[in-house]
Amino acid sequence: MMRYRIHISLFLVYFAMLAPAFASPSHVKATLIAEQKTMEPGKNLQAGLLLEIEKGWHVYWINPGDSGLAPSLEWQLPAGFRSDPLAFPYPERFHIENSVNYGYEKEVLLTTTIYVPTSLLEGQTKLKARAQWLSCRDVCIPGEAELTLELPVKNKTAKLDSKWKKKFRLTGERIPRRIPGWISFAKAKGNLVILTLVSQQQIQMKNLDFFALEEGVLDHAYKPDITFSGNQIEIKLRVDSKRTDPLKNLRGVAVSQKPWVGNSKSLLIDTIIQ
Amino acid sequence: MKKTSIILSALFLLFITASPAFSLLTGEQAPDFTLSDQHGKPVKLSSYAKKFVVLEWLNRDCPFVKKHYDSGNMQGLQKEFTDKGVIWLSISSSAKGRQGFMTKEDAAHFLESKKSAATALLLDSDGKTGKLYDAKTTPHLYIVNPKGSLVYQGAIDDKASVHSADIQSSKNYVRTALEEALAGKSITTPSTASYGCSIKY
């Protein structure tokens, strides 16, 4: 009998070891991580909010699409520190119900640059932040966590943390950026916007997609219609039919699984509509 | 000849896939519908001609809906405008077996327990009316004027969040639109991107 009980409790311990990642009722585990092991006064630091998402659930991009809400991170930084807004890697499309959402499954790292003051003394520094997110499957559950990132301060060049550096590098490749050598312009045509991207080099694209950075701009469900000719790509997008005023600017992200340049798969577009 | 018809049907298919999903424009006639209310009584939109009508999509278990009901914000808005003669129809489009599905008893209980000041809570479990209005989220709000035209569609306010604490500093689009509409003015912001949970059709 006794032995039986021990077995059961061992089983429970084993189970508890498997479970804690998603002990949170929102089905997301949130952690603050840094790309480097130490903090150097006067040098920037790459930090991030890592969201590990239970299978079947998703969290949202900066433009969540037809429903949902993007995660947020509110730092409570010590005096002299500053942070940039969160950078969101390009999303995936989810077709749910009658609507289309933009977001992430499994895992996402939202990165930010932290500016470390030059006056910082050697020792330990704690950076605190409050993370909030909405995770959805067929139902949605809001989640939040008070998080801490603790790093030693050292007056020498910081080494990258081998545990996280790959994740930061791979995420960096997915963060939309302007890429020299690509020119973009857009024109309106009825309820469509035609975005043209021109490169000086031969174009090699794969699984091209486009996501507007803001809600209420494009019809999220409309899969961009793409044509190539020579060194240019034409992307037809449909304007959100509920808009009552004409669209003046197009701000979004063009994604190609074959990188635009180097390893960058997402090209930041910010262009006026002629 | 055969080739032409193949091309034509291909073109036709293209046209179908490329044709816009049905979407209602602000200023257009609001499509009529009849739905059962919390007493099982049919309610027809066009029977409220000559009145302003608010349509409010809800799902009692959606965190965005809870934000506005648990804080009393939605009920306050309902009371403020039903007192001025506006008809307020809350609508549940959750399908049977899905989150937020309501029987008429559930609907009556919801109205009472939440102290809702809505005129009625209508049940659209087959989702036909929700899809007719292209309702995407809960909450999602529409305002129909006395002539039956849609004058506002979109979010309740400008702070997409699940936190009641954000309500105070939010700009309530529905209040502004109703105040303008009741004063006979044109509506400054007739359409916004709604925020919330997807509708459980």
Side-chain angles (χ1 to χ4, degrees), chain B residues 116-134:
Chain B
S116 165
T119 313
L121 172 46
L122 309 182
L123 302 174
D124 177 43
S125 57
D126 65 10
K128 278 187 188 153
T129 303
K131 287 173 189 167
L132 192 60
Y133 277 79
D134 198 22

Side-chain angles (χ1 to χ4, degrees), chain A residues 66 93 95 100 102 191-194 209-211 218-226 235-240, chain B residues 14 17-21:
Chain A
D66 292 333
R93 276 170 189 266
H95 293 260
V100 169
Y102 300 158
N191 64 346
L192 298 175
V193 169
I194 297 160
D209 205 346
F210 187 89
F211 303 93
L218 296 180
D219 179 345
H220 300 128
Y222 185 81
K223 193 86 170 95
D225 182 1
I226 292 147
I235 307 175
K236 281 200 186 84
L237 303 158
R238 192 154 71 207
V239 179
D240 185 337
Chain B
L14 261 178
T17 45
S19 71

Side-chain angles (χ1 to χ4, degrees), chain B residues 132-145:
Chain B
L132 192 60
Y133 277 79
D134 198 22
K136 293 273 191 214
T137 60
T138 53
H140 199 157
L141 290 106
Y142 296 77
I143 303 172
V144 180
N145 76 6

Side-chain angles (χ1 to χ4, degrees), chain B residues 15-86:
Chain B
F15 177 72
I16 290 180
T17 45
S19 71
F22 181 80
S23 185
L24 217 52
L25 295 179
T26 308
E28 283 181 355
Q29 194 70 19
D32 200 11
F33 60 83
T34 305
L35 290 170
S36 282
D37 72 2
Q38 70 278 11
H39 307 298
K41 211 181 74 194
V43 171
K44 192 173 164 72
L45 176 69
S46 56
S47 67
Y48 294 116
K50 296 181 186 166
K51 298 233 181 202
F52 279 99
V53 181
V54 175
L55 307 177
E56 173 223 339
W57 262 266
L58 64 74
N59 163 354
R60 60 183 160 171
D61 297 317
C62 161
F64 295 91
V65 173
K66 286 183 175 173
K67 166 190 175 186
H68 294 289
Y69 272 97
D70 293 352
S71 60
N73 185 46
M74 190 67 83
Q75 299 93 318
L77 200 63
Q78 291 163 345
K79 175 97 177 59
E80 183 178 340
F81 291 98
T82 49
D83 281 355
K84 291 177 182 164
V86 172

Side-chain angles (χ1 to χ4, degrees), chain B residues 144-160:
Chain B
V144 180
N145 76 6
K147 287 180 186 155
S149 307
L150 194 65
V151 294
Y152 175 78
Q153 56 180 333
I156 178 168
D157 61 29
D158 66 344
K159 285 247 166 83

Side-chain angles (χ1 to χ4, degrees), chain B residues 154-167:
Chain B
I156 178 168
D157 61 29
D158 66 344
K159 285 247 166 83
S161 87
V162 291
H163 299 284
S164 302
D166 292 329
I167 292 172

